[in-house]
Amino acid sequence: MRKIIVSAAAAALLASGSVAFAAVKHTTGTIKTFDATAMSLVLDNGSSFTLPSTFKDPGLKVGEKVRVSWDMSGKNKIAESVKIVK
């Protein structure tokens, strides 16, 4: 019985670590460059993001302040959403 409890606790600990690692991150900044054709967005702080093919442009313009929700895919930051901040 003790082995089962220890095994279950170890499995729960390992599973919770991977969930925390996969959390979406958020970055706020001003748009430095936006290329809808290349599906890329660069902020003034140097952060660059790849936009998914399903991205709907909310009217982004250079100089606008935005909040980007993103996650890593390999070595690339993939923007899950981009919202204009007022």
Side-chain angles (χ1 to χ4, degrees):
M1 184 67 164
R2 183 177 280 174
K3 281 186 174 182
I4 293 172
I5 293 173
V6 171
S7 296
L13 180 65
L14 290 174
S16 68
S18 63
V19 170
F21 182 71
V24 174
K25 297 159 191 71
H26 305 282
T27 300
T28 303
T30 303
I31 298 174
K32 183 176 179 181
T33 62
F34 169 61
D35 187 341
T37 305
M39 302 302 283
S40 67
L41 174 70
V42 179
L43 302 182
D44 62 343
N45 62 10
S47 297
S48 61
F49 304 93
T50 301
L51 303 169
S53 60
T54 58
F55 179 73
K56 303 283 188 218
D57 181 7
L60 300 178
K61 298 176 192 155
V62 172
E64 278 190 305
K65 188 172 181 180
V66 293
R67 181 173 191 233
V68 182
S69 299
W70 58 276
D71 202 358
M72 292 296 292
S73 177
K75 293 183 179 183
N76 298 320
K77 293 178 183 175
I78 307 297
E80 295 185 0
S81 71
V82 180
K83 299 195 190 257
I84 298 170
V85 178
K86 299 200 182 208

